[in-house]
Amino acid sequence: MGAVIFDGDDTLWETEPLYDEARSEARGLVEASGGNGSLWERLQREIDVKNVDVHGFSASRFPLSCVTACEKLFELTGWAVPGEVVQRINAVAMQVFDGRAPVRSDAEAALALLRANGFNLGLLTKGNQEVQQRRIESSGLARWFDRIEIVGDKSPEVISQLVRDLGSEPRSSWLVGNSLRSDIVPAVSAGLHAIRLDAHTWEYERDYVAPPGLSFLTAGTLTSAVEQILDR
C-alpha cells in the first residue's frame, strides 16, 4: 500500500505570511522611532538566515534576529534605539508563534481524496514541539493522518523510518512539501517520489541551490499535487 507524507508549515497551512506581518509591524516601530526601516529589515533577514546555524528552527531565532538587527542598526547609523521599542519589537516577533496559521483551502479535500484511494498518510513537520503541536491541533487536519511526527531535522533516515511506520516502501511512497532543502532533497535521497508545492518561502529556502539532476514534480496547489500522485 502506498503512503503520502506531507510537510506542515507552508504546505498544509500558511506560516510565512505571519512572519511577513510581524516583520512589517516591527519595521514600522523602527521607523516611528527615527530608525532606517529598510536597512533594519535587510539586516534582520540576513541575520535570521545566519542564525539557523546556531538556533535552528526554534521559537527563539526570529525574535532574536529582530532584536539583533536593532543593535546592528545602532552600530551602523548611530540610531538611538529606545529600550521600550526593542521590547515591543520582541513582543511583535513572538506573536508569530501564537497566531493561527491559515489552513490551505484545498487541504481537507486533498487528504480525503488520498484516503479514499487507499493511501496511508503521514505528517512530518519540523520546528518547535509546542508551536508545531498547536498548529496541528488548530488546523483540524490531524484526524486524516495515520502517523504524525514533529522533528528537528528531516533527514533521509527520518523519512525512511516514517515510511516503514506507515507500512509502505519508498518506491510506492510520496512526499509533498514546499522546501527543496528540507523536504524534497531528503525525500528523494530516501528513495521517495517528491512533489514541491510552489509556495511563499523565506530567504533560507529561496537561496538554496538544489543538487544537479534532482528529480521531482511541482504543483501550484495541493489539489494538483494529489492529481499527479493519482495519475502515476
Side-chain angles (χ1 to χ4, degrees), residues 42-52 61 64-66 68-70 72:
R42 179 171 65 80
L43 292 169
Q44 190 279 326
R45 290 178 181 275
E46 292 174 355
I47 293 168
D48 204 31
V49 171
K50 292 177 181 177
N51 278 351
V52 172
R61 192 202 71 249
L64 178 62
S65 299
C66 290
T68 304
C70 290
K72 187 66 175 178

Side-chain angles (χ1 to χ4, degrees), residues 4 13-14 37-38 41 45 49-50 72 82 105 123 127 141 155 177 186 190 202 204 212 222 224:
V4 182
W13 51 80
E14 300 176 282
S38 177
E41 181 172 342
R45 290 178 181 275
V49 171
K50 292 177 181 177
K72 187 66 175 178
S105 59
L123 173 59
L141 300 175
S155 66
W202 63 305
Y204 180 78
L222 290 171
S224 175

Side-chain angles (χ1 to χ4, degrees), residues 27-28 30 33 42 57 59 76 154 167-168 186 193 197-198 209:
R27 173 174 172 168
V30 170
S33 63
R42 179 171 65 80
F57 295 89
L76 293 174
K154 295 180 184 178
S168 188
H193 306 286
L197 189 69
D198 186 12
V209 178

Side-chain angles (χ1 to χ4, degrees), residues 32 45 47 77 96 104 109 128 140 162 187 195 210 224 227:
R45 290 178 181 275
I47 293 168
T77 68
V96 166
R104 291 191 180 276
N128 177 272
L162 181 52
I195 299 179
S224 175
E227 289 173 348

